[in-house]
Amino acid sequence: MIAQTDRLSLRRFTIEDLPLLVELDSDPEVMRYLTGGRPTPVETVRREVLPAILRDYLRFPEFGKWAAIERRSGAFVGWLALKPAGGGRVGPLPITEVELGYRLRRAYWGRGYASEGARALLRMAFAHPSVDRVFAETMAVNTASRRVMEAVGLRLVRTFHLQWDDPIDGVEHGEVEYELRRVDWVASPPAADRLPLVPPRQA
């Protein structure tokens, strides 16, 4: 277990979690702002998505993409992630920026789980002395995701446009980037989600 909140436990994924990831990425609504609603092929999850998650635990032991489990029921809620910026970097350089991410099953939307988990990850991120900035990105039209970012204290810093090989509805409005810097976190940490965190395990 990586961390706990009032309602969630975060743990590392294992090879046995393949069906959970396949199910998550099979929901057209979950994938709406990622692929236009197209599910991720099972073989892509098997050969690329899950192996990449497991490799990142070795590359960045204190960061990663973690399965979010509802404590009361034991049900899989989705995943939450802290990914070092410039993930392809080589060498033991300090990690100064990390990207916040989340993807939840539709049954758990609108119940505050994303915000609750994101607050825990912000605390984890700023527990690392080298981390100065946490950021998150989404499509400008993804208002639900933007509400989560704003609810946990991130602020809008820019709107930008990407080149898409296969554009989906809404890309004409661009992407947005939100951020929270250490100085602002220290000045005004969120009051919610005060349960102690379990430190990440070392590889």
Side-chain angles (χ1 to χ4, degrees), residues 156-193:
L156 177 66
V157 291
R158 66 172 178 143
T159 300
F160 60 101
H161 290 79
L162 299 174
Q163 294 295 322
W164 294 67
D165 293 332
D166 188 10
I168 63 177
D169 289 344
V171 297
E172 66 274 15
H173 299 287
E175 311 284 317
V176 289
E177 179 179 326
Y178 284 72
E179 72 172 15
L180 179 61
R181 293 189 175 271
R182 176 178 292 276
V183 62
D184 299 313
W185 167 264
V186 171
S188 183
D193 195 18

Side-chain angles (χ1 to χ4, degrees), residues 1 13 39 48 61-62 103 109-110 120 126 130 142 164 166 188 198:
M1 186 173 60
F13 280 101
E48 300 177 22
E62 297 178 311
R103 188 176 303 172
W109 291 3
F126 289 120
S130 64
N142 189 350
W164 294 67
D166 188 10
S188 183
V198 177

